[in-house]
């Protein structure tokens, strides 16, 4: 198993982003420039893309653990650099299809799925070399907490939608897959300490079953996991829930 830990939230290094996992974990850290946030994130995502590309070229399926969903841009770019053109299956409580113009909060972490579809929030993002993915090859799973601009975009776009319970091989995009799982897709009562807890979600076992369905296609080229806990959460603040949750997810992908 190839596990890469990226201990960052946006461009902020997270010294407490550590997990007790049964497998050996590699770490991706970058010497980020003294520059604006977009330039710093581009440098970080480029470092992730390099590591991911090397693993994919070697025939391995990298599992990338990060503190936000933006790192999935680097993971996707890495798969593309390795010569693979992936569709995307995106598990998330949120839509992640904002733009910086539509976002009421201005939070950069709310845009990555939209970026995969071709939105470019800043010239620095072009440095990643990310190739656009056609909307019909993007599948948003759950997305129960959407802002009005996201509802409007999804209504008029070709981005596909599914519930967690509705995941089966026939609803998945064709071809190789980039699988992304933001852990806040799980109901907040079963995943304490999340940065953006969202009630009314599926249970952990339901998410794991759906993830296995995607993985059992044999078409997943990389797994991206958004470990979106509050940055100041201590490792044991939740009684070990996060370790058990990640271990179960990674075992499902073994």
């Amino acid at each position: 198993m190839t596990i890469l830990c990226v201990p960052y939230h946006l461009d902020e290094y997270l010294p407490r982003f550590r997990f007790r996992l049964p497998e050996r974990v590699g770490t991706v850290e970058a010497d980020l420039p003294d520059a604006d946030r977009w330039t710093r994130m581009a440098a970080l995502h480029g470092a992730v893309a390099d590591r991911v590309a090397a693993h994919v070229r070697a025939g391995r399926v990298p599992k990338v653990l990060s503190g936000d969903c933006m790192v999935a841009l680097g993971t996707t770019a890495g798969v593309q650099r390795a010569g693979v053109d992936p569709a995307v299956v995106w598990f998330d409580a949120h839509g992640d299809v904002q733009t910086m113009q539509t976002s009421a909060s201005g939070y950069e972490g709310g845009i990555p799925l939209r970026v995969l579809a071709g939105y470019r929030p800043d010239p620095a993002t072009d440095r990643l070399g990310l190739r656009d993915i056609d909307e019909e090859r993007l599948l948003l799973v759950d997305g129960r907490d959407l802002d009005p601009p996201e509802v409007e975009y999804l209504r008029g776009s070709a981005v596909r939608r599914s519930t967690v319970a509705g995941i089966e091989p026939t609803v998945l995009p064709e071809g190789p897959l980039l699988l992304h799982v933001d852990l806040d897709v799980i109901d907040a009562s079963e995943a304490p300490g999340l940065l953006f807890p969202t009630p009314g979600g599926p249970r952990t076992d339901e998410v794991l079953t759906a993830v296995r369905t995607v993985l059992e296609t044999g078409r997943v080229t990389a797994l991206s996991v958004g470990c979106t806990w509050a940055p100041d959460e201590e490792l044991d603040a939740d009684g070990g829930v996060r370790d058990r949750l990640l271990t179960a997810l990674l075992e499902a992908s073994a």
Side-chain angles (χ1 to χ4, degrees), residues 1 59 83 88-89 102 107 113 117 136 163 170 173 189 192 196 202 224 228 240:
M1 182 179 293
V88 174
V89 180
T102 63
Y107 176 56
L113 191 57
E136 61 269 19
T163 62
T170 58
S189 65
F196 300 110
S224 165
T228 50

Side-chain angles (χ1 to χ4, degrees), residues 17-193:
F17 191 81
R18 295 291 184 269
F19 308 101
R20 297 187 180 95
L21 299 174
E23 302 284 345
R24 183 175 180 180
V25 178
T27 301
V28 180
E29 296 182 1
D31 185 13
L32 302 186
D34 183 12
D36 63 90
R37 172 165 284 173
W38 294 108
T39 300
R40 288 167 58 82
M41 285 195 293
L44 174 62
H45 298 163
V48 172
D50 287 341
R51 294 282 292 276
V52 168
H55 286 299
V56 175
R57 290 189 187 107
R60 296 186 289 266
V61 178
K63 285 81 174 175
V64 182
L65 313 180
S66 64
D68 62 35
C69 293
M70 291 294 282
V71 170
L73 302 180
T75 304
T76 305
V79 173
Q80 292 176 337
R81 290 181 188 184
V84 180
D85 182 23
V88 174
V89 180
W90 193 274
F91 283 72
D92 204 308
H94 309 94
D96 287 357
V97 291
Q98 289 279 13
T99 69
M100 297 312 297
Q101 291 71 40
T102 63
S103 172
S105 67
Y107 176 56
E108 294 90 342
I111 68 171
L113 191 57
R114 190 70 171 266
V115 174
L116 293 178
Y119 169 62
R120 295 294 178 265
D122 186 271
T125 58
D126 290 334
R127 301 175 192 174
L128 189 57
L130 189 68
R131 297 195 298 276
D132 299 351
I133 300 174
D134 292 340
E135 289 179 339
E136 61 269 19
R137 301 183 65 226
L138 304 175
L139 173 63
L140 173 61
V141 183
D142 191 55
R144 63 186 180 272
D145 185 9
L146 301 174
D147 292 329
E150 295 182 297
V151 172
E152 182 179 357
Y153 166 71
L154 290 169
R155 183 184 297 122
S157 78
V159 174
R160 301 157 72 174
R161 301 282 308 276
S162 176
T163 62
V164 167
I167 287 296
E168 57 183 45
T170 58
V171 307
L172 301 176
E174 295 182 355
L177 301 173
L178 183 289
L179 173 58
H180 174 75
V181 182
D182 184 338
L183 293 178
D184 69 18
V185 71
I186 299 169
D187 188 83
S189 65
E190 296 194 15

